[in-house]
Amino acid sequence: MSSLVTTASLTPFVTTPIVLTIAGSDSGGGAGIQADIKAISATGGYACSVITALTAQNTQAVTGIYPINAEFVEQQLDAVFSDLNVIAVKVGMLSDSNIIHSVAKKIKQYTPKYLVVDPVMVATSGDLLLHSSAIDSLKSELLPLADVITPNLPEAAALIGCSVPKNEDEMIAMIDELRQLGAKSVLLKGGHLETDDNSTDLLILADNVERLSTERIKTRNTHGTGCTLSSAIASYLAQGHELSAAVKRGKYYITQAIAHADELNIGQGHGPVNHFFVLNTQGQS
């Protein structure tokens, strides 16, 4: 009697790089949970999610925020961690101190291998997404748990209580204070220096700083860039890349997503980046 060999029996076991995004929902689809899931999927990870807030949002403005009850956030986290082998976690919009406390508590309980924190405070439209009273909770409870935090210049300034940098020298002057926030590393993003020809980020490690610079792309379609970059970094970490390599790959991915953003025609304000630029390019060939 011959044995039956199935396709499954010939397939080697591969650990699926599962990435959990903990963030708010963007009804316009360009940022938040929606951007995170797109970026994680496009870069080779499997995305699962815990929603911390609902927003009424489009490419022009945030017109409403509805925080999710902290107990239900914890229920979502328990559901995901008790079943899925989450390797990396990306944290975005948390809205208030109660949710920050709940997320920090569950991160300590389940100890995922990697934690990427994007300290979301202000939307591309300029709308406030994190209550000022919650910044202290973010700094004391969550940032010290992170492998990398990814603030833009206004966020970094708010975290350490200084004015927003106007040039790269002023970015460099922030390094010591950003290290004191307690995260293992900081990716200080220089995208807001709009008069510079290049977009330069500083990867601040414990004992050195890596300068990552790419040519600045002229487009108004930059909605969700921070969410997208931090999610891509988490995805690459989950796939086994070292931190520096994961950040460089994430930087390349977001640069290409921005470069292809004008191929989309979404909304009347700051449109989203093109998360699936590779598939869209293939479809046009």
Side-chain angles (χ1 to χ4, degrees):
M1 182 177 177
S2 62
S3 61
L4 178 64
V5 179
T6 65
T7 302
S9 66
L10 296 175
T11 303
F13 176 78
V14 177
T15 301
T16 304
I18 299 176
V19 183
L20 168 62
T21 167
I22 305 171
S25 169
D26 172 8
S27 53
I33 285 286
Q34 288 81 354
D36 295 346
I37 291 174
K38 293 172 187 176
I40 293 165
S41 301
T43 54
Y46 176 85
C48 52
S49 64
V50 166
I51 297 178
T52 59
L54 305 177
T55 69
Q57 183 176 173
N58 54 31
T59 63
Q60 297 177 295
V62 178
T63 56
I65 299 175
Y66 185 82
I68 303 299
N69 182 279
E71 292 182 3
F72 189 67
V73 170
E74 291 190 27
Q75 189 175 345
Q76 293 178 76
L77 288 163
D78 287 332
V80 172
F81 278 114
S82 64
D83 182 43
L84 279 61
N85 179 27
V86 174
I87 302 172
V89 174
K90 172 266 169 80
V91 175
M93 177 185 175
L94 295 179
S95 184
D96 61 42
S97 295
N98 290 333
I99 292 176
I100 291 170
H101 175 74
S102 292
V103 170
K105 180 176 74 172
K106 290 301 178 180
I107 292 295
K108 292 176 182 176
Q109 177 181 343
Y110 292 107
T111 62
K113 187 172 182 179
Y114 300 107
L115 176 63
V116 178
V117 177
D118 183 22
V120 177
M121 298 179 186
V122 182
T124 304
S125 59
D127 296 284
L128 185 67
L129 297 177
L130 180 69
H131 296 300
S132 57
S133 61
I135 295 177
D136 287 341
S137 297
L138 184 70
K139 291 168 62 175
S140 63
E141 297 191 51
L142 195 59
L143 299 191
L145 304 177
D147 291 278
V148 59
I149 63 175
T150 61
N152 60 31
L153 297 185
E155 291 162 349
L159 287 172
I160 65 174
C162 71
S163 58
V164 178
K166 297 180 178 62
N167 53 55
E168 191 172 337
D169 287 340
E170 292 183 7
M171 288 175 64
I172 293 171
M174 303 173 77
I175 289 174
D176 288 341
E177 287 188 81
L178 288 172
R179 281 188 172 129
Q180 293 173 22
L181 292 172
K184 292 179 182 176
S185 64
V186 179
L187 180 64
L188 179 60
K189 302 177 298 188
H192 280 73
L193 300 181
E194 296 180 356
T195 58
D196 286 4
D197 292 333
N198 292 331
S199 177
T200 300
D201 304 335
L202 301 178
L203 177 58
I204 304 167
L205 304 167
D207 53 3
N208 69 303
V209 177
E210 296 183 14
R211 184 176 183 273
L212 310 175
S213 188
T214 58
E215 184 177 352
R216 184 174 297 275
I217 298 159
K218 302 298 183 182
T219 177
R220 71 195 303 253
N221 295 327
T222 57
H223 185 50
T225 50
C227 306
T228 298
L229 174 58
S230 55
S231 295
I233 293 171
S235 178
Y236 288 126
L237 287 170
Q239 293 171 58
H241 296 283
E242 296 296 331
L243 176 65
S244 179
V247 170
K248 289 174 182 175
R249 284 173 175 262
K251 173 82 168 173
Y252 176 80
Y253 170 73
I254 187 58
T255 300
Q256 293 301 308
I258 295 171
H260 291 272
D262 289 351
E263 295 169 6
L264 303 177
N265 182 17
I266 310 295
Q268 302 172 62
H270 291 282
V273 301
N274 192 341
H275 294 91
F276 296 106
F277 60 86
V278 172
L279 293 178
N280 294 340
T281 301
Q282 288 175 346
Q284 294 169 2
S285 62

